[in-house]
Amino acid sequence: MKSYKEIPAGGVAWKKSREYETGTWRNKKPVVNDEKCTRCLECYIYCPDSSISYEGDKIVIDYSHCKGCGICAKECPQDAITMVEEEK
Ligand code: SF4
Ligand code: SF4
């Protein structure tokens, strides 16, 4: 996997964005509260980076690709996602 630092200027990340570990762009990360989550999957629908999946009976976030935009937290009808400051 390439990091964004290896993408050339004017790069071509749009071609195969899953090949780049864009999670390093993040300042805050979304954390799901499983007790509040009703598994409605709205976060899955809204995530622009396809970084949310449903595994077992839980919402799982792919932190290798999540850029921390916060859309999932904003759209969650249960307020089950909190954006937490990344540890640097
Ligand atoms: S939008 Fe919220 S309640 Fe719905 S699945 Fe995602 S985290 Fe759970
Ligand atoms: S913060 Fe943005 S990129 Fe990350 S899981 Fe939520 S919607 Fe997707």
Side-chain angles (χ1 to χ4, degrees), residues 16-70:
K16 295 181 180 176
S17 62
R18 299 293 297 178
E19 288 184 10
Y20 299 97
E21 289 198 348
T22 49
T24 55
W25 299 5
R26 207 174 45 239
N27 288 322
K28 288 186 175 181
K29 69 176 181 181
V31 175
V32 179
N33 180 329
D34 289 328
E35 304 212 341
K36 288 172 105 179
C37 173
T38 58
R39 282 65 169 168
C40 69
L41 299 181
E42 286 204 29
C43 53
Y44 166 83
I45 293 166
Y46 279 103
C47 177
D49 289 308
S50 302
S51 298
I52 296 178
S53 58
Y54 185 61
E55 296 173 21
D57 69 341
K58 285 190 171 186
I59 296 299
V60 175
I61 296 174
D62 174 2
Y63 291 117
S64 295
H65 295 96
C66 162
K67 298 184 187 71
C69 67

Side-chain angles (χ1 to χ4, degrees), residues 2-16:
K2 291 181 180 179
S3 81
Y4 75 95
K5 293 176 183 172
E6 296 169 89
I7 302 172
V12 290
W14 55 270
K15 277 190 174 176
K16 295 181 180 176

